[in-house]
Amino acid sequence: MTVAAGKEGRANPKIEGNGSSDVSARLNESLRQMLSSIYPDYDVGELTNAVISAYWSGESRPRRRGRVAGNTIWSEKDTYVITYGNSLVDGEHKPLDLLYDFLNRYLKGTIKGVHILPYFPFTSDDGFAVTDYYTVNSALGAWEDIQRIAGKFRLMSDLVLNHCSSQSVWFSEYLQGHEPYDRYFFEADPADDLTNVVRPRAHPLLREVETANGSKHVWCTFSHDQIDFDFSNPEVLLEFLRIMRFHVDRGVRTIRLDAVAFIWKEIGTPCIHLRQTHEIVRLMRLLADYSDEAVVLITETNVPNIENLSYFGNRNEAHAIYNFSLPPLILQALLTGNSTHLNAWQMAMPPAQRGCCYFNFTASHDGIGLRPAEGLLSDEEITEMIDAVTGFGGKVSMRRMPDGKDRPYEMNVSLYDAMKGTCEGEDDYNLERFLCSQAIAMALEGIPAFYIHSLLATPNDISGVEKTGINRAINRHRWNYPDLQQKLADGTSRQAIAFNHIKRMIGIRIRQPAFHPNATQFTLQLGEQLFGFWRQSTDREQSIFAIHNVSDKTVTIPSMSLNLIGGADWSDLLSGEPVRAFTGDIEFAPYQCRWITNGSA
C-alpha cells in the first residue's frame, strides 16, 4: 500500500503491514498517537499496521495488556559484566566460546547479566560501525554461541541505531540510488547553518559522496566511516524494529540504545535530544512492555546529568539509564581525597521512578566521559583530573565546539591505572583506592555493571594505542586466555587480588535486600573525606549505612553520627566486625569501605 506524499513532494516509500486481530485496542491507539506525532505526513493507520508487523513477525504476538511499570523486573541479585566478544582470545578457539567458559567458570552465581559489545560484522570503531545487524561476526562465533550465553546469563546487546558502516550493503545501495535505501541516510547542505549542532567528535560533520543521484553530503556524527540514518523516513524505524525482534528471538533481553540522543536531526537545532528522539524511545518502550519476553531498554547518552535523566521520561521511556556522571565524579573524589562534588551530586539526584533504575558503572570500553561532569566540576577541577590521569599514562580525546575550538571529551585509561595515586602523584594505595570505587558503585541505588578490564585490573594497553592510533584502545586489551587463567590461579597477581576482592564484594551485595536497585537511599553528611548514604530495603526490614573513605588519611567518626537503631545488632558486612550503636567510634583506614547493617552477611 502507498501512503500520502511526504515533504518536498517526494513519494513516501511503501509501508507494508497487515496489522493483527490479536492487537489490543489500547496498544493500537497508543501507537497511533505516537506515530501521528512523529510522522504527521504519513497515513497513521497504515504506519501503525506496519510497526506491528515489523516487531511481531512470525509466530510472535503482543500481550493483551502491557506490563505495568514496577520494581519487580530486577532485584539486588542483578549485576552485569561488560565485555567485547573477543576480550579473551587464545588463537585456537572461538572468542565467544572462551567468553562463555570465563563467565561459567569464574562468574556463575555472582554475575547475572552480560553485555556483549557489538558482535556483528563491522569496519571500524571496534564494532560500532556495523555492516550487517542480522549476522554475528564470524571471527567471534555464530548465533548459536550468542544463544548459549543467553541461556545462562541475561544478555544485553547493542542496537546501534544512529549510524552504520559506510561499507554496509545499505549504504552501497544508497550510493546506487536504489529504493528504499536512497532515503535511509541523512543529507545536509554545507551551506546550512550547522553552528548549533552538538558534536561529540572533532572531525568535519559532513562527508561528500558521489551517488547515482549526484553529489551528496551525508551526516557523520561519530566518524566518516559511520553514516547517520535519517529517522524522518519511517522505513528506517521499521527496519530497526525488525532488528529488535530478530535479536529478542535470539535471546537478547536487555537492549542498549547506542547513541540514541542523536538519531533525529533538524537543521538549525542542536540535533540532540529532539522531541522525536524521545517519542521513538517511548514507542520502543511500548513495544517492549507488550512483548511476551521481559525486554528491558537502556539508553546510552554520554551527556550532562540533567539531559541524561530526561530519558526516563514519565516512566515511559528507558527502563534504565547509564549513570554517566558517576565515573568522573568517583574518580575526582578519589584523586583529590574530597567527596564534596560527589556528595552534592548524589544529594540532588532524584530516586528513579517506579519501573526505572540507574545503571551504575565506573569504567567502559570508551573512556571516562567529561561531558557528564559539566556543571558539576569546574574547568580547573577537570583539568586537574586530566593532568593526574595523563600522568598515570592515560590519554584524552577531544570534541569540536561551535566556535571551532576543541574541548576534552573523555579520558582514555584503564581504571586501575587511573588510580595509581592522587593529584599529588603515585602512592602505595592503588588497590585500596580502586576497590573503594567499585564498592561505591555496588552500594548506590541502581544496578551495578563491571567492565571486564576493571574486574581484571587490566593495565593500560599502550601498545594497542601505538598499533591502532586510537586512544580508546588503551582500555580494550585482548587477554590471552591461558595467560589470564594462569594469573587468576596465582593468588599474588594483580589480576587475582583485584578480581577476588571484587567478586567477594559482589557476593555479599547480592544477598542484601537493602541493595535492591530501587531501595530507599538517603545521602549522609559525614565530612569531605567520607562519601556515605543510607539504604533501606523495600520491606523496611534491612538498613545499610554504606560509608566510603575517599582519602589517604585515617578517618574516625562517632557511632552516634549514624542512626543505628537501638536494640539491633549492627555489623560491617565487608569486615565482619560488630558495630556498637551510640557508643564508641568507627574508624576508617585510607580508602576503607564499610557496609554497616542490621541484617546478616
Side-chain angles (χ1 to χ4, degrees):
M1 57 187 69
T2 304
V3 295
K7 297 178 180 178
E8 302 177 4
R10 293 187 293 181
N12 284 323
K14 292 182 179 180
I15 306 296
E16 301 294 343
N18 298 321
S20 171
S21 59
D22 294 332
V23 176
S24 73
R26 180 173 294 183
L27 171 59
N28 194 73
E29 182 56 29
S30 296
L31 283 172
R32 289 177 66 91
Q33 290 179 8
M34 291 177 180
L35 291 166
S36 63
S37 178
I38 302 170
Y39 301 110
D41 297 328
Y42 287 77
D43 183 293
V44 68
E46 294 178 1
L47 191 50
T48 299
N49 288 342
V51 165
I52 292 167
S53 294
Y55 189 73
W56 282 286
S57 58
E59 299 298 318
S60 61
R61 293 290 183 272
R63 293 161 54 97
R64 296 302 298 169
R65 291 189 179 129
R67 288 183 180 82
V68 177
N71 296 334
T72 59
I73 54 177
W74 41 63
S75 75
E76 61 275 8
K77 300 183 186 301
D78 281 281
T79 55
Y80 281 82
V81 61
I82 304 168
T83 180
Y84 279 102
N86 61 353
S87 291
L88 307 172
V89 295
D90 67 358
E92 181 181 353
H93 300 89
K94 292 183 291 186
L96 287 174
D97 274 348
L98 301 181
L99 178 59
Y100 177 81
D101 183 80
F102 174 77
L103 294 169
N104 227 28
R105 184 187 301 265
Y106 296 101
L107 293 175
K108 187 177 180 181
T110 303
I111 293 289
K112 188 173 180 180
V114 56
H115 172 201
I116 307 178
L117 291 155
Y119 44 81
F120 315 104
F122 71 99
T123 54
S124 64
D125 199 15
D126 277 350
F128 286 91
V130 178
T131 60
D132 184 351
Y133 293 84
Y134 294 96
T135 304
V136 173
N137 182 354
S138 60
L140 302 178
W143 277 116
E144 62 187 24
D145 304 303
I146 293 293
Q147 290 175 277
R148 183 163 63 139
I149 293 173
K152 292 287 186 71
F153 299 87
R154 184 179 181 93
L155 177 61
M156 182 191 301
S157 182
D158 285 280
L159 192 64
V160 185
L161 72 170
N162 179 70
H163 50 261
C164 72
S165 169
S166 66
Q167 298 178 48
S168 65
V169 171
W170 292 352
F171 193 63
S172 175
E173 292 289 296
Y174 162 83
L175 295 176
Q176 297 174 67
H178 295 162
E179 294 185 355
Y181 306 102
D182 58 331
R183 295 186 59 231
Y184 259 40
F185 298 94
F186 195 85
E187 301 169 354
D189 189 319
D192 289 335
D193 181 6
L194 305 177
T195 55
N196 290 327
V197 176
V198 173
R199 302 296 317 284
R201 300 288 185 272
H203 69 271
L205 178 61
L206 302 181
R207 172 187 169 184
E208 185 175 8
V209 294
E210 293 300 323
T211 79
N213 296 317
S215 178
K216 303 288 183 181
H217 288 83
V218 291
W219 196 281
C220 302
T221 296
F222 291 94
S223 80
H224 280 187
D225 185 40
Q226 293 163 292
I227 316 299
D228 285 33
F229 291 109
D230 184 357
F231 272 86
S232 69
N233 172 10
E235 280 288 358
V236 174
L237 174 61
L238 294 172
E239 186 67 63
F240 277 98
L241 297 184
R242 287 188 283 269
I243 293 168
M244 278 181 64
R245 168 48 59 186
F246 183 83
H247 292 176
V248 169
D249 286 345
R250 278 148 189 80
V252 174
R253 291 297 178 265
T254 304
I255 296 175
R256 179 181 183 264
L257 302 180
D258 177 67
V260 66
F262 298 96
I263 64 173
W264 197 279
K265 287 89 171 169
E266 288 183 1
I267 303 302
T269 75
C271 296
I272 187 172
H273 312 312
L274 297 188
R275 173 184 62 83
Q276 295 89 340
T277 295
H278 284 280
E279 291 179 343
I280 287 172
V281 176
R282 283 197 287 274
L283 185 146
M284 290 180 168
R285 169 66 180 266
L286 181 68
L287 299 181
D289 286 345
Y290 273 88
S291 296
D292 268 343
E293 306 84 1
V295 176
V296 167
L297 297 184
I298 179 168
T299 48
E300 186 269 335
T301 51
N302 189 359
V303 294
N305 193 53
I306 192 68
E307 299 173 30
N308 191 32
L309 290 171
S310 71
Y311 284 87
F312 278 144
N314 185 21
R315 299 193 303 163
N316 59 357
E317 292 190 34
H319 293 89
I321 62 172
Y322 273 74
N323 210 347
F324 270 105
S325 294
L326 185 60
L329 288 178
I330 284 182
L331 181 60
Q332 192 269 346
L334 290 165
L335 291 178
T336 61
N338 190 315
S339 68
T340 299
H341 295 302
L342 181 61
N343 202 60
W345 165 76
Q346 185 55 51
M347 285 181 64
M349 284 289 280
Q353 303 169 64
R354 186 173 180 83
C356 302
C357 78
Y358 295 107
F359 194 75
N360 296 324
F361 70 110
T362 54
S364 76
H365 60 289
D366 285 343
I368 299 172
L370 294 172
R371 285 215 69 207
E374 291 176 11
L376 302 173
L377 300 176
S378 68
D379 288 347
E380 292 75 20
E381 287 164 332
I382 290 175
T383 298
E384 180 184 42
M385 183 165 53
I386 290 173
D387 288 345
V389 168
T390 54
F392 302 146
K395 306 290 183 181
V396 180
S397 295
M398 313 296 284
R399 71 182 181 101
R400 185 66 46 83
M401 302 298 290
D403 61 5
K405 295 181 180 179
D406 290 347
R407 181 182 176 89
Y409 178 71
E410 68 184 13
M411 296 177 291
N412 306 112
V413 66
S414 147
L415 185 64
Y416 195 93
D417 280 0
M419 297 188 180
K420 282 184 176 179
T422 68
C423 291
E424 303 300 318
E426 293 190 28
D427 60 23
D428 295 327
Y429 291 115
N430 195 171
L431 175 65
E432 292 83 355
R433 190 178 293 113
F434 170 75
L435 292 176
C436 181
S437 73
Q438 302 308 291
I440 291 172
M442 286 187 220
L444 279 169
E445 175 191 344
I447 295 174
F450 308 88
Y451 185 42
I452 191 170
H453 292 307
S454 296
L455 275 180
L456 299 173
T458 306
N460 288 330
D461 190 346
I462 302 300
S463 63
V465 177
E466 294 172 347
K467 181 179 179 179
T468 63
I470 298 171
N471 286 348
R472 286 177 167 179
I474 200 169
N475 199 25
R476 297 178 177 180
H477 181 69
R478 294 180 185 174
W479 276 102
N480 178 273
Y481 192 40
D483 290 347
L484 175 62
Q485 289 182 296
Q486 192 172 31
K487 287 184 179 294
L488 292 177
D490 175 5
T492 64
S493 75
R494 154 173 164 169
Q495 280 64 46
I497 293 171
F499 181 76
N500 290 333
H501 273 293
I502 295 173
K503 187 174 176 181
R504 174 181 173 272
M505 285 194 292
I506 297 173
I508 293 172
R509 182 205 187 274
I510 62 178
R511 299 197 300 272
Q512 314 308 319
F515 283 151
H516 184 284
N518 300 110
T520 297
Q521 178 169 285
F522 183 82
T523 309
L524 305 174
Q525 303 302 316
L526 300 171
E528 63 184 25
Q529 293 173 311
L530 298 177
F531 177 53
F533 41 89
W534 170 65
R535 303 293 308 278
Q536 185 182 53
S537 59
T538 55
D539 63 6
R540 298 190 177 185
E541 291 293 324
Q542 185 188 30
S543 287
I544 296 178
F545 291 88
I547 305 170
H548 315 84
N549 183 0
V550 300
S551 77
D552 58 3
K553 305 291 191 296
T554 297
V555 179
T556 301
I557 62 172
S559 60
M560 287 190 67
S561 62
L562 303 179
N563 186 24
L564 302 180
I565 302 168
D569 294 325
W570 295 86
S571 63
D572 176 11
L573 289 168
L574 296 178
S575 69
E577 299 170 359
V579 176
R580 297 180 63 188
F582 307 118
T583 60
D585 293 332
I586 305 173
E587 183 176 280
F588 294 81
Y591 305 107
Q592 183 177 4
C593 306
R594 292 186 184 275
W595 294 344
I596 300 171
T597 186
N598 61 340
S600 62

